Amino acid sequence: MKKFKDYKLETALELNRQDTLASYREKFIVSDEKVIYLDGNSLGRLPRATINHLDRVIQHEWGSRLIRSWNEGWYERSNRIGAKIAALIGAHPDEVILSDSTSVNLYKLAHAAIRHAAPRKKVVSDVFNFPSDLYVLQGIIEQLGNTHHLDLIPSRDNVVIHLEEVRKVIDKETALVSLSHVSFKSAFLYDMQKITRIAHNKGALILWDLSHSAGVVPIHLNQSDVDLAVGCTYKYLNGGPGAPAFLYVRKELQQKLFSPIWGWFGDQKPFDFRLQYQPAKSLKRFMAGTPPILSLTALEPSLDIIHDAGLSKIREKSIRQTEYMIFLIKELLEPQGFTLGTPLSHKVRGSHVSLRHPEAFRICQALIHPDGSEFIIIPDFREPDHIRLGLSPLYTSYSDIFYAIRILKDIVKEKKFEKFDSARQQVT
Amino acid sequence: MKKFKDYKLETALELNRQDTLASYREKFIVSDEKVIYLDGNSLGRLPRATINHLDRVIQHEWGSRLIRSWNEGWYERSNRIGAKIAALIGAHPDEVILSDSTSVNLYKLAHAAIRHAAPRKKVVSDVFNFPSDLYVLQGIIEQLGNTHHLDLIPSRDNVVIHLEEVRKVIDKETALVSLSHVSFKSAFLYDMQKITRIAHNKGALILWDLSHSAGVVPIHLNQSDVDLAVGCTYKYLNGGPGAPAFLYVRKELQQKLFSPIWGWFGDQKPFDFRLQYQPAKSLKRFMAGTPPILSLTALEPSLDIIHDAGLSKIREKSIRQTEYMIFLIKELLEPQGFTLGTPLSHKVRGSHVSLRHPEAFRICQALIHPDGSEFIIIPDFREPDHIRLGLSPLYTSYSDIFYAIRILKDIVKEKKFEKFDSARQQVT
């Protein structure tokens, strides 16, 4: 763990100077250098190129070309941008498509897989999965008449999931294993290939949610023999708020699975307007309605930036940054009552760090509403006691990390959080 | 029918001068006055105000405020914009929400309604419904194990649906009646109140697809006692390509129906991240994943324009424009072998006119690729022989109509279409 010189600002600045990806920060809008943004794992920053790219879509494609744009690129856009994502996650270009939200995509694929796997009755997930994924699975089971059941792999320590626990839960009754590649709270990273093999050995299909790994962790879907995947595009892929999600179906499964939502964009010939649905012979059968073109197009410039930087370099920096953050946490924050909610080994860790503290909520308020401090720090609070700090290597600097940890220390040491109300003001 | 002076350009120009909504055209981008756009019923024009509105969302809300924008307006945006649509369709503000695509919304509501109506086994639609709506219903029936069946109300003439045909098909076995308010091909407009009463008299629920009527035909969902509705926002509502759709659930049904897609945005407290789904106690239970904020926001300026102009004035102009177009068609196009595929009475007609001709496909090519003509006309071709001409009163002028019909006449009279290939070049 002792890979860094000391706990001083100068070391952070030195790490910045050594950072070969440092110049990529300029490709993103950083409108206020006083804001240290550690929530790129929730909503990625706006790439500069996206502004002009969107302007062209709005004014030229919509404003001038109008309906003609469907034949001039819109119709193929879900596939074309899907292919750029495919190259980031180790899939063939015709195995990834943009469509709907992550939840709706998970619904379509999980529903299809569970029906395909009949008469198997068990669906496996884990206690780390993003709740929306669990909700979607619960909903499918309910609508199938509760003949199926959902088994959640437990975690002993709330930080990692042990392989033996996985092995205990997946059995020959298992229809589908549905897991998040990187856990949204602890950042625990599964060994995709190993877990996929365990599922396949029992004859189960596997569906990975790549929301917290796509764009920051190298993924090899084909090589890992993955059946199905979904993922969000507004986190490390910087596609903008609510950008459409992607879905992946392994080539040989594409004609064996059927979407439960028979929308016209999933039909073989939508513009024939026949009265009877016939599923497309390709991945398109998993589309439903007309995709939101503006939000879809917003995603493209960021994918080009990620390809340009290269995923292995991004991962390398991400590991170095999480290591540096943990190094500082151990020294500066653990004595203040913080505990690490994230795996120590980078081999099982994504690109965010979860800190736990009984006053996490009020500490987050103090970070966002600083008093005299030179920086506004933007983290994510996650119930009940998690402060989630996301490191997005294309624009997060080592000094961002340094300042964030130093300010966290000050907030707790000087009890600056006490003036904030602990009542949650959720907008739900 | 003889309400217009003559078939001359001067009369069209006189109608333009009398048009009290004429100035609204300036609120939309018309980048090329040589393009006569008669496809606003497929993709509405870009409102000028939308450009700045989107720029603010992109640069300020996403670029600068980043994740904080969720608490500063994004989270409530689906409701807030939904309320503006509610005011256009005769619903309470808390009865309409923006979410997903029309197909996905129809899936959610129809699935919920069919389950709610158990043990009734029949779903009623008609041969005029948009195919995606039929496909979605077919998919639900298939996934329920084909215990249900879909009955389609026929049309004798492919132009209108007769009330006695509706009465024959809806019976005491009917769970759900799902119809398009205005038919996408013939523009036939149902009497919403009458059909809803017929459905209710048999104890069936009703679901209206308002895609081709919202924003151009006054709609009174509450007054008509409608149970459920969905609709597209990129046609007469000018929300931009693939803008998110809306859904309506009558207040007293909101807690009795359950979405089949249990996404986190439909949960009671999504930011509690509990492991077990609990449906929101409001319409929000019909949301699923994170909505596409850019595409969602693009919709707002147009709704303000529509409210400013007033729906009754818009409808009045729409009727006058379709009457004028039909007046010209009767005189100039019927002698050239065109037939009208749209009802003659405005009481049962939406805001587009469908022309039929055996060479419809090649005629459309000639309209789009003119040869020496002063205008490019953009219609919609619909298999097998429909030329669909959409009139969007906020920006369509009477001279647009005049020129379109005159050019259509020239194309057929001078056989200008013959040099075009009849092979469909669909991008599907």
Side-chain angles (χ1 to χ4, degrees):
Chain A
M1 202 56 201
K2 180 70 187 146
K3 293 177 190 166
F4 302 95
K5 197 174 151 209
D6 56 29
Y7 305 95
K8 292 178 185 165
L9 174 61
E10 186 43 50
T11 298
L13 297 175
E14 177 59 29
L15 289 165
N16 282 350
R17 283 190 294 271
Q18 291 163 5
D19 174 9
T20 56
L21 291 181
S23 65
Y24 280 89
R25 183 178 170 98
E26 286 159 31
K27 294 185 184 292
F28 294 85
I29 295 293
V30 180
S31 61
D32 185 352
E33 288 287 351
K34 280 179 167 280
V35 174
I36 293 179
Y37 191 58
L38 297 178
D39 211 1
N41 55 326
S42 194
L43 175 68
R45 279 192 185 274
L46 168 63
R48 279 183 197 284
T50 302
I51 298 170
N52 284 339
H53 196 69
L54 267 169
D55 191 60
R56 192 188 140 79
V57 176
I58 295 163
Q59 301 220 41
H60 177 72
E61 293 181 6
W62 175 12
S64 297
R65 299 302 298 166
L66 288 155
I67 196 74
R68 294 169 287 189
S69 288
W70 277 107
N71 285 320
E72 291 166 3
W74 288 351
Y75 197 74
E76 288 306 322
R77 197 156 291 174
S78 293
N79 292 76
R80 192 168 62 74
I81 300 181
K84 289 192 179 187
I85 292 178
L88 291 176
I89 59 179
H92 290 293
D94 58 354
E95 290 179 323
V96 179
I97 203 163
L98 272 298
S99 167
D100 301 304
S101 64
T102 312
S103 296
V104 172
N105 286 341
L106 186 82
Y107 175 79
K108 293 183 291 191
L109 296 191
H111 195 288
I114 291 168
R115 286 195 64 182
H116 181 74
R120 290 171 176 242
K121 298 292 186 204
K122 183 163 154 178
V123 180
V124 169
S125 187
D126 70 16
V127 293
F128 280 180
N129 208 348
F130 190 64
S132 199
D133 296 36
L134 300 179
Y135 300 165
V136 163
L137 297 172
Q138 289 159 6
I140 294 170
I141 288 171
E142 192 278 340
Q143 93 187 230
L144 292 176
N146 291 312
T147 50
H148 292 61
H149 63 284
L150 178 64
D151 256 22
L152 299 186
I153 305 163
S155 165
R156 289 174 213 161
D157 57 6
N158 264 322
V159 177
V160 302
I161 302 263
H162 290 279
L163 209 59
E164 52 267 44
E165 303 284 0
V166 177
R167 285 210 180 89
K168 262 187 232 164
V169 180
I170 300 174
D171 61 20
K172 297 211 160 173
E173 260 307 285
T174 306
L176 176 70
V177 178
S178 176
L179 297 168
S180 282
H181 187 206
V182 169
S183 155
F184 81 108
K185 260 191 204 174
S186 83
F188 171 67
L189 166 68
Y190 270 112
D191 182 329
M192 179 179 279
Q193 191 153 20
K194 213 172 262 177
I195 305 295
T196 300
R197 202 176 303 131
I198 292 171
H200 285 175
N201 281 344
K202 300 290 184 180
L205 289 167
I206 196 153
L207 193 173
W208 288 102
D209 183 338
L210 310 175
S211 293
H212 283 272
S213 56
V216 75
V217 175
I219 297 164
H220 309 284
L221 294 182
N222 288 163
Q223 199 182 305
S224 306
D225 210 21
V226 170
D227 303 304
L228 306 163
V230 296
C232 166
T233 62
Y234 51 75
K235 298 178 184 292
Y236 297 105
L237 297 180
N238 312 305
F246 64 87
L247 64 83
Y248 156 92
V249 179
R250 184 152 57 93
K251 187 75 183 168
E252 61 188 330
L253 277 175
Q254 288 179 6
Q255 296 210 42
K256 292 178 185 159
L257 299 183
F258 299 91
S259 172
I261 308 175
W262 294 7
W264 71 313
F265 264 65
D267 185 69
Q268 226 173 79
K269 294 181 174 174
F271 291 94
D272 278 7
F273 297 101
R274 292 169 305 198
L275 299 186
Q276 179 62 46
Y277 172 77
Q278 279 193 279
K281 287 181 178 165
S282 67
L283 193 56
K284 278 203 167 170
R285 65 171 60 183
F286 283 98
M287 295 187 77
T290 312
I293 294 293
L294 303 188
S295 287
L296 178 66
T297 309
L299 172 60
E300 195 164 18
S302 165
L303 297 177
D304 294 338
I305 295 171
I306 294 169
H307 278 294
D308 184 63
L311 254 190
S312 61
K313 279 197 171 174
I314 291 172
R315 173 63 174 162
E316 198 183 305
K317 179 171 171 186
S318 159
I319 290 172
R320 187 107 177 110
Q321 291 202 308
T322 49
E323 298 270 291
Y324 180 56
M325 184 173 257
I326 291 169
F327 168 81
L328 297 178
I329 288 169
K330 291 267 161 207
E331 173 73 13
L332 305 174
L333 297 190
E334 287 194 351
Q336 302 296 333
F338 286 93
T339 56
L340 192 64
T342 288
L344 268 179
S345 162
H346 70 78
K347 288 179 185 162
V348 290
R349 187 176 65 223
S351 196
H352 65 271
V353 171
S354 217
L355 267 176
R356 305 185 67 179
H357 192 285
E359 289 290 357
F361 182 78
R362 292 205 285 177
I363 294 168
C364 282
Q365 298 305 306
L367 286 169
I368 299 164
H369 306 102
D371 179 17
S373 156
E374 66 263 65
F375 293 110
I376 295 171
I377 314 279
I378 303 185
D380 236 347
F381 169 72
R382 285 293 174 258
E383 292 282 0
D385 61 358
H386 288 258
I387 300 168
R388 209 173 60 166
L389 305 167
L391 307 174
S392 195
L394 290 174
Y395 51 75
T396 304
S397 69
Y398 290 89
S399 41
D400 284 348
I401 296 169
F402 173 85
Y403 287 122
I405 300 302
R406 198 185 69 180
I407 290 167
L408 270 163
K409 181 188 163 190
D410 290 350
I411 286 170
V412 173
K413 200 172 175 190
E414 298 166 26
K415 297 191 191 300
K416 288 181 182 176
F417 62 84
E418 288 188 340
K419 66 176 173 182
F420 292 95
D421 193 352
S422 63
R424 314 300 194 243
Q425 296 185 310
Q426 285 190 15
V427 279
T428 51
Chain B
M1 200 58 199
K2 179 69 187 146
K3 292 176 189 167
F4 302 95
K5 197 175 151 207
D6 57 30
Y7 305 96
K8 292 177 186 165
L9 175 60
E10 187 42 53
T11 298
L13 297 175
E14 178 59 30
L15 289 165
N16 282 351
R17 284 189 293 270
Q18 291 163 4
D19 175 9
T20 56
L21 292 181
S23 65
Y24 281 87
R25 183 177 169 98
E26 286 158 32
K27 293 185 184 293
F28 294 85
I29 294 293
V30 180
S31 60
D32 184 353
E33 288 287 350
K34 279 179 168 280
V35 174
I36 293 180
Y37 191 60
L38 297 178
D39 212 2
N41 56 326
S42 195
L43 174 69
R45 279 192 186 275
L46 168 64
R48 280 183 195 283
T50 303
I51 298 170
N52 283 340
H53 197 68
L54 267 169
D55 191 60
R56 192 188 140 79
V57 176
I58 295 163
Q59 301 220 42
H60 177 72
E61 293 181 7
W62 175 11
S64 297
R65 299 302 297 166
L66 287 155
I67 196 74
R68 294 169 288 189
S69 287
W70 277 108
N71 286 320
E72 292 166 2
W74 288 351
Y75 197 75
E76 288 306 323
R77 196 155 294 174
S78 294
N79 293 76
R80 193 167 62 76
I81 299 181
K84 289 192 179 187
I85 292 178
L88 291 176
I89 59 179
H92 291 293
D94 58 354
E95 290 179 322
V96 178
I97 203 163
L98 273 297
S99 165
D100 301 304
S101 64
T102 312
S103 296
V104 172
N105 286 342
L106 187 83
Y107 175 79
K108 293 183 292 191
L109 296 192
H111 196 287
I114 291 168
R115 286 194 65 181
H116 180 74
R120 291 171 177 242
K121 298 290 186 206
K122 183 162 154 178
V123 180
V124 170
S125 188
D126 70 18
V127 293
F128 280 0
N129 209 347
F130 190 63
S132 199
D133 296 35
L134 299 178
Y135 300 165
V136 163
L137 297 172
Q138 289 160 5
I140 294 170
I141 288 170
E142 192 277 340
Q143 91 187 231
L144 292 176
N146 291 312
T147 50
H148 292 61
H149 63 284
L150 178 64
D151 257 21
L152 299 187
I153 304 164
S155 165
R156 289 176 213 160
D157 58 5
N158 264 323
V159 177
V160 302
I161 302 262
H162 289 280
L163 209 59
E164 52 268 44
E165 302 284 359
V166 177
R167 285 210 179 90
K168 261 188 233 164
V169 180
I170 300 174
D171 60 20
K172 297 211 160 172
E173 259 308 284
T174 305
L176 176 70
V177 178
S178 176
L179 298 168
S180 283
H181 187 207
V182 169
S183 154
F184 80 108
K185 260 192 205 173
S186 83
F188 171 67
L189 166 68
Y190 270 112
D191 182 329
M192 179 179 279
Q193 191 154 18
K194 213 171 262 178
I195 305 295
T196 299
R197 202 176 303 131
I198 292 171
H200 285 175
N201 281 343
K202 300 291 183 179
L205 290 168
I206 196 153
L207 193 173
W208 288 101
D209 183 338
L210 309 175
S211 293
H212 282 272
S213 57
V216 76
V217 174
I219 297 164
H220 309 284
L221 294 182
N222 288 163
Q223 199 181 305
S224 306
D225 210 21
V226 169
D227 303 305
L228 306 163
V230 297
C232 166
T233 62
Y234 51 76
K235 299 178 183 292
Y236 298 104
L237 296 180
N238 312 305
F246 63 87
L247 63 84
Y248 156 92
V249 179
R250 184 153 58 91
K251 187 75 183 166
E252 61 189 328
L253 277 175
Q254 287 179 8
Q255 296 210 42
K256 292 179 185 158
L257 300 184
F258 299 91
S259 172
I261 308 175
W262 294 7
W264 72 312
F265 264 65
D267 186 70
Q268 226 173 80
K269 294 179 175 175
F271 291 95
D272 277 7
F273 297 101
R274 292 168 304 198
L275 298 187
Q276 179 62 45
Y277 172 77
Q278 279 194 279
K281 287 181 178 165
S282 67
L283 193 56
K284 278 204 168 170
R285 66 170 60 183
F286 284 99
M287 295 187 77
T290 312
I293 295 294
L294 303 188
S295 287
L296 179 65
T297 309
L299 173 59
E300 195 163 19
S302 165
L303 297 177
D304 294 338
I305 295 170
I306 294 169
H307 279 294
D308 185 61
L311 254 189
S312 60
K313 278 197 171 175
I314 291 172
R315 173 63 176 162
E316 199 182 306
K317 179 171 172 188
S318 159
I319 291 173
R320 188 109 176 108
Q321 291 201 308
T322 49
E323 297 270 293
Y324 180 56
M325 184 173 257
I326 291 169
F327 168 80
L328 297 178
I329 287 169
K330 290 269 162 205
E331 174 73 14
L332 304 174
L333 297 190
E334 287 193 351
Q336 302 296 335
F338 287 93
T339 56
L340 193 64
T342 289
L344 268 178
S345 162
H346 71 78
K347 288 180 183 160
V348 290
R349 187 176 65 224
S351 197
H352 66 270
V353 171
S354 217
L355 268 177
R356 306 185 66 180
H357 192 285
E359 288 291 355
F361 182 77
R362 292 205 286 177
I363 294 168
C364 282
Q365 299 305 305
L367 286 170
I368 300 164
H369 305 103
D371 178 17
S373 156
E374 65 263 66
F375 293 109
I376 295 171
I377 315 278
I378 302 184
D380 235 348
F381 168 72
R382 284 292 175 260
E383 293 283 1
D385 61 358
H386 289 258
I387 301 169
R388 209 173 59 166
L389 304 167
L391 307 174
S392 195
L394 290 174
Y395 51 76
T396 304
S397 69
Y398 291 89
S399 41
D400 284 348
I401 296 170
F402 173 85
Y403 287 121
I405 299 302
R406 200 185 68 181
I407 290 168
L408 270 163
K409 181 189 164 190
D410 290 350
I411 286 171
V412 174
K413 201 173 175 190
E414 297 166 25
K415 297 191 190 301
K416 288 182 183 176
F417 63 83
E418 287 189 341
K419 66 175 175 183
F420 293 95
D421 193 352
S422 63
R424 314 298 195 245
Q425 295 185 309
Q426 284 190 17
V427 279
T428 51

